[in-house]
Amino acid sequence: MEGKRQAGMDIQKTSRKRGTSKSRLDGVTDTPPVLSKQTTSTNLTAEQSAFTGKNETGETLSPSASGPGPFAVLLTFLIKNDRSEILRLAREIGVSDNTVYRWINGTSEPRPGHMRRLLEVLPHASPGFSAAPPGSAMSTNSHGRGMLQARSEYWEVPKEIYRRVMEQVAATADNVSRRWHIIETVFEYALLHLDAERRGMALTYARLMPPCKDGMIHSLYEAEMRGQAPWPFTLDFKAYLGSTTLAGAAVMQQRVQSWNRKDDEERHPIGLDDNEHSSCAAPVMRGGRLAGVLIVSSARHDFVRNPAIPRAVAEYAHLLATGMLDSDFYPGELIELVPMPELKWQREQISNIYLNRVVEYARKQCLSFTEAEQKVLQTLEEEFENHVYTSNAATNQPQAVLSYEPIR
């Protein structure tokens, strides 16, 4: 009996060495021990904690195993990983572009101060903008809605531009240089503000031409222009704007005027290009006198439907007025605009004759280039006015003057 008992014990030892047991013999497979969910969670948290810290801007680093959080999703949707837009945001907020990339990747989140500044400079977070891509977490996330609701004052002109303009007024001694710098500053801020999404916009300052032989002012001239695609950055050949243009209506009525392609046909102004689907024009005035008009042209037909847009354009026009010379302004009773040819026709003519005429005037009359330019501009204005008059006379068409409802 003792021998049999010993033999049984040897068999059990052999089975253990081979990794088998009675349960295996019964057809049940042993499973290796596994970590519980609690253990896995604890280890993951410890691993994340090892990488959690502060970066050079003081942002909290918080990598997530599940990918970017709702804030990162919304930010990515808003700026679409556009390199130039990322650089702009970094410059506006005062952080490095790597910091913005970390916000996009979800490895850090902005501090409260940076978050407030981000809300001010984000391009899409404006009234009426859809909060997030369909189906994303941010479409129902309260934080995302709060971000967009915080932009209710988006269309207000940034206060920073007032500081910049006042600095240039105080620091620039030369009158002509001061005028040029202020125009450039206003255009730079207005383009970033009014067309942050880069959907297409052009800003033009058209100045009043000097009085003609009859003592009255007959047209405006495109003095400066800045654009974003599909418009060029600037105009090579500038044209005259008369009574049948939106700018002409703004000057004659001394009020902001707006237009879009969905308006009635009888209010369709002359002086549009193929890219222009809506526009707004505001007179540049000081002390009841006029220097010209600021024109904002947009590739969006609904741009001027927002009542805040004409107010913003009028405010930018007031800022332009601070840079103008006293001699740039004329009393309203001297303004008697007349129709001018279509812009395309004018630009073709000017491209063929303008430079040659300036050189000829300067050489024959011993004038400076600036003086010769002014002479040529006045001569071309008279020729273009006569062209419209003779064309209308040949077709028995009366001179047209557009009538607009002013924006109050």
Side-chain angles (χ1 to χ4, degrees), residues 235-292:
L235 288 175
D236 293 327
F237 305 105
K238 298 164 184 176
Y240 301 89
L241 307 177
S243 59
T244 57
T245 63
L246 189 71
V251 166
M252 291 186 292
Q253 298 188 23
Q254 299 184 22
R255 293 181 181 274
V256 179
Q257 305 291 326
S258 63
W259 164 90
N260 69 78
R261 286 195 182 274
K262 292 190 174 181
D263 280 348
D264 297 333
E265 290 298 325
E266 61 267 23
R267 300 183 63 206
H268 214 73
I270 295 175
L272 303 173
D273 59 42
D274 296 336
N275 302 317
E276 194 168 3
H277 289 266
S278 64
S279 52
C280 185
V284 176
M285 303 180 66
R286 185 197 297 166
R289 298 160 67 92
L290 294 102

Side-chain angles (χ1 to χ4, degrees), residues 20-70:
T20 60
S21 65
K22 187 177 185 299
S23 62
R24 181 176 182 88
L25 296 175
D26 293 338
V28 179
T29 303
D30 286 339
T31 57
V34 295
L35 292 174
S36 66
K37 291 183 180 179
Q38 181 177 2
T39 304
T40 304
S41 175
T42 302
N43 291 341
L44 182 60
T45 303
E47 184 180 8
Q48 288 178 338
S49 299
F51 289 95
T52 301
K54 299 282 185 178
N55 61 17
E56 72 276 6
T57 61
E59 315 293 349
T60 301
L61 299 175
S62 54
S64 171
S66 60

Side-chain angles (χ1 to χ4, degrees), residues 6 31 55 72 91 187 200 205 230 260 278 284 304 327 341 373 378 384:
Q6 184 65 36
T31 57
N55 61 17
R91 184 180 68 251
F187 280 10
Y205 170 63
N260 69 78
S278 64
V284 176
V304 297
S327 58
E373 272 194 309
Q378 290 176 313
F384 288 177

Side-chain angles (χ1 to χ4, degrees), residues 68 114 119 142 152 161 176 245 251 282 302 314 318 358 384:
H114 289 158
L119 294 175
S142 59
S152 60
I161 188 177
V176 176
T245 63
V251 166
D302 60 343
H318 295 331
V358 172
F384 288 177

Side-chain angles (χ1 to χ4, degrees), residues 5 31 64 113-114 126 138 161 180 188 190 305 346 400 408:
R5 191 178 292 114
T31 57
S64 171
H114 289 158
S126 57
M138 289 307 294
I161 188 177
W180 184 84
E188 175 188 351
R305 291 188 180 274
Q346 289 191 54
R408 301 183 184 275

